[in-house]
Amino acid sequence: MTTLRERRTYRNAILRCLYGAVERNRPEVSGTALRDELQLPDDDLSAACAYLADEGLVAVDWTSHNTPATASLTHEGIRFMEEEDISGDSGPTA
């Protein structure tokens, strides 16, 4: 079972990865690339993306297997990243 701390860490990692993609002018990231880069199990990646989408920070296109096909930061997500420092585990409560 994933702990609250791990879930927060996963969400922060996804936000950092997507923000890095925006900075490189690649605003949309495939779910496979996210999973591979962050080395997250599909269930944890899906749960974290669903949470961030519910918070309005990311937009997700889902596969028929309920895993992210693509993910990108929303305008609100970009603003959040520019206002917050999520470099450590104390990052967002998102």
Side-chain angles (χ1 to χ4, degrees), residues 12-86:
N12 289 341
I14 290 167
L15 289 171
R16 282 192 305 271
C17 182
L18 294 177
Y19 189 70
V22 168
E23 289 181 327
R24 291 185 306 275
N25 239 3
R26 301 203 186 286
E28 193 169 84
V29 177
S30 77
T32 302
L34 269 177
R35 185 189 66 223
D36 292 348
E37 182 173 334
L38 302 175
Q39 299 180 350
L40 293 177
D42 282 337
D43 290 344
D44 291 330
L45 177 65
S46 295
C49 285
Y51 185 97
L52 293 169
D54 287 346
E55 293 295 311
L57 299 175
V58 301
V60 181
D61 290 323
W62 298 96
T63 68
S64 59
H65 301 291
N66 204 29
T67 58
T70 61
S72 59
L73 284 179
T74 62
H75 179 71
E76 187 62 31
I78 293 170
R79 286 185 42 206
F80 177 83
M81 292 299 293
E82 290 174 348
E83 293 173 2
E84 297 292 321
D85 174 20
I86 66 164

Side-chain angles (χ1 to χ4, degrees), residues 2-22:
T2 307
T3 67
L4 176 60
R5 182 182 184 117
E6 289 170 325
R7 289 191 304 264
R8 285 182 178 162
T9 299
Y10 296 160
R11 293 188 300 249
N12 289 341
I14 290 167
L15 289 171
R16 282 192 305 271
C17 182
L18 294 177
Y19 189 70
V22 168

